[in-house]
Structure formats: structure tokens, C-alpha cells
Amino acid sequence: MQSGALIPKVLGSRRPKAAALAPVTDQRMFFFSGVFTPIWPKFRSVSPLRVSGAPAEDAGPVPVTVRAIVADSPTADGWRALSGESSIFMDTLGRGFLRVRTHLGCLVADGDPVIRPGTRAAQPLVEAFVDLSRAGGRIPVFRDASPSMAHLYQRMGFAVRRAGERARVDVTGEELEAEDSPLARAAELARAGGLSTEVLSESQAIALHRRLAVRSPGLDVTSLHGCSVEALRQGRRVRAWARIWDGDVGGGVRLDRLRPAEDLPPGAAEALLMGAVHWAREQGASSLVLPRSLPAATTDRLKRSFPVRGEPRYLAAPPGWRMR
């Protein structure tokens, strides 16, 4: 899995070795032997690998290059990188990055690479990520991959299996106006209880950080960067909320998981979904991508109310490794 032939000035002809890595000197953004920039901000947890510090121009809560890539390729996977909840593995040429984390001896890439259009950096980035994983004695795993990336992982020798699907709601049809749909009737329970939904801009959500944190203990304000927030309110109190991103792949809007996931008021999940569907339509989107963690009853009402199509997602790992 040599990527040196593709970008020889960056990678050279040999794979990186753990022994060649320098000590950590900065906790925000790190370089990996001048090959690829792995992992902001939590790479220090990936022992025994060590990394060196970032240049001054990338100082701050989110590296400048990451923001530039997201601006050129605005997808929900990209916007999520701005929240600080994932670490980042970045091409030093500024062409793209992966969102990554560690789990049970694995280095896991979540979602597809976020790549600047026209750069063809996906495969070199993936190959360098695999090299980094193996140099540190970790197993490279790719989670929530699209069909096109799953085909690439197969060609690279990984075992690939289907791991659920991503549900996408068509928000262009007349079904949205039906007040007697199963989802609308359930959402009415929330409204009858004095609850209402509102979509907050990034700055508005950050200003309400303390109220949102009541429903999500330990919430860091950086988790609200790069997104809007749909809030379910009862007066001044926030009863539930979810992040929402405009401009996802395919002209859609992406809804994140509901917080909290349990002990929601009757009709709360349905009210949040109805609000997200109508907001997506107002933004001129063609679809709304749903989180996988919706309550089963809510998902059932949704499928009986609106056209929903499932998009398969995949998990890729080395052959013989028990994928879980």
C-alpha cells in the first residue's frame, strides 16, 4: 500500500516508522514526520505514537487548514470536524482529512474522507492513515463508509461488510403539508404540552451553551462550532436539542442525534423531526439525513408519514479481525 508513487515529494518511498516520530510539543495540532498531519486535538491518547507540534499559523481552536477544506467541500462530515469532538488526520498539502478516534486497540476513521474537489486525495490519505495505524501497532478500521469508499477499501484488501443504513427523507413532496400524518399527530402532543421548536444559528447556540449543557452534562462549547442547533423549548427551558448542518452531500441537511436520547417528553422526538423537516425545506434542501439513534416508534411514524430511502453504510477492517 505505497502512496509514494502518487505524491513522491510528500511521502517518499518508505512507510513511516514509529521510531522516527518526535515528542509532543503542542496539544492542539500535530504533525507526523512531515508526511501527514494527524490528529487534532486528541492524538496524544494514541500511544505509543508520538507527534510533533504544529506551525504557528494553525494555532487556535480549529486549524485554519481544516476550516479551508470544509469551506471548499461543505458536507456534514466536514462540519462535524469543527466541533472538536473528533480528532483529525490531515494531508499536509491541505487537500483533505479524516475524522478519527481510538477504540479497543484500533484507530477508527469515522465517515468518508473530506476532500477538496478535484484533488483526488482520498486514496493517498487513506493509505497514509493505514500506515500510521500499523506503525503504532493499531488496527485500521473504517466506519460508516459510503458505497464508493467501500469499493476502495475492498481493492486495498480490507474485509467489508454492510453496517446499517443512513435514512434520508425527501422534503420536496406534498406530504409535508399533511396535518394528519402519524408523525404530525405525535408532534402535536409536544405542542399541547407547551413545547415549541426553534432553529438557532451557531452564535445563538453558543450563547445558550449553559442551557443546552443542562441536557448534555459535560458539553463543550466547541461542540457547537460549525452547525445550527434545533432546540425544543418549554418557555426559557431547553428540554431537548440536536445539531443540524446545511449543505450535506446530495443537497441535503443532516440532523445529529437527539440530546438527551432518553426521558424525552411525549412527542418530543417527533416535534424535533417535524421542525427539522420544515427547516430543511425552507433552506432549499432536497432531503434530510436522519440520525441512526432515533427511537424505534419515531422511526416507524416517520416512514409512514414521508418518503424515506435507506443509503447503505459499511464497515471495513483487515481480514480475520472480528468486526463489532
Side-chain angles (χ1 to χ4, degrees), residues 244-312:
I244 190 167
W245 294 272
D246 190 11
D248 196 21
V249 174
V253 165
R254 176 88 65 86
L255 183 68
D256 197 17
R257 63 186 176 89
L258 310 186
R259 307 174 190 225
E262 301 175 349
D263 300 323
L264 293 173
E270 288 81 1
L272 282 167
L273 271 183
M274 286 293 294
V277 165
H278 285 285
W279 185 79
R281 189 171 189 173
E282 291 170 2
Q283 306 310 303
S286 59
S287 61
L288 174 70
V289 179
L290 303 176
R292 297 188 187 181
S293 55
L294 289 175
T298 302
T299 301
D300 179 65
R301 293 188 186 103
L302 177 71
K303 290 181 177 179
R304 290 189 285 118
S305 301
F306 305 128
V308 180
R309 70 177 187 272
E311 301 174 344

Side-chain angles (χ1 to χ4, degrees), residues 62-149:
V62 177
V64 173
T65 306
V66 173
R67 289 189 179 277
I69 295 171
V70 172
D72 286 347
S73 183
T75 67
D77 284 334
W79 292 119
R80 288 180 75 120
L82 303 186
S83 71
E85 292 184 343
S86 298
S87 298
I88 290 171
F89 180 75
M90 189 197 311
D91 173 13
T92 54
L93 298 181
R95 300 175 300 177
F97 62 84
L98 285 163
R99 293 187 304 113
V100 305
R101 58 187 171 86
T102 59
H103 179 70
L104 299 177
C106 302
L107 196 55
V108 182
D110 284 314
D112 287 351
V114 180
I115 302 296
R116 278 180 165 161
T119 59
R120 298 184 179 180
Q123 184 166 342
L125 180 62
V126 166
E127 290 175 346
F129 171 79
V130 171
D131 287 340
L132 173 68
S133 303
R134 291 172 174 166
R138 291 186 175 269
I139 299 171
V141 176
F142 300 91
R143 178 183 169 274
D144 198 28
S146 66
S148 61
M149 289 305 299

Side-chain angles (χ1 to χ4, degrees), residues 204-242:
Q204 290 173 324
I206 290 174
L208 283 176
H209 168 249
R210 290 185 179 179
R211 293 183 196 173
L212 300 177
V214 170
R215 308 305 297 166
S216 301
L219 176 72
D220 190 286
V221 70
T222 58
S223 298
L224 304 175
H225 289 170
C227 68
S228 300
V229 166
E230 185 184 13
L232 183 71
R233 290 182 141 186
Q234 192 168 34
R236 292 173 57 85
R237 183 184 178 191
V238 176
R239 297 297 305 273
W241 63 280

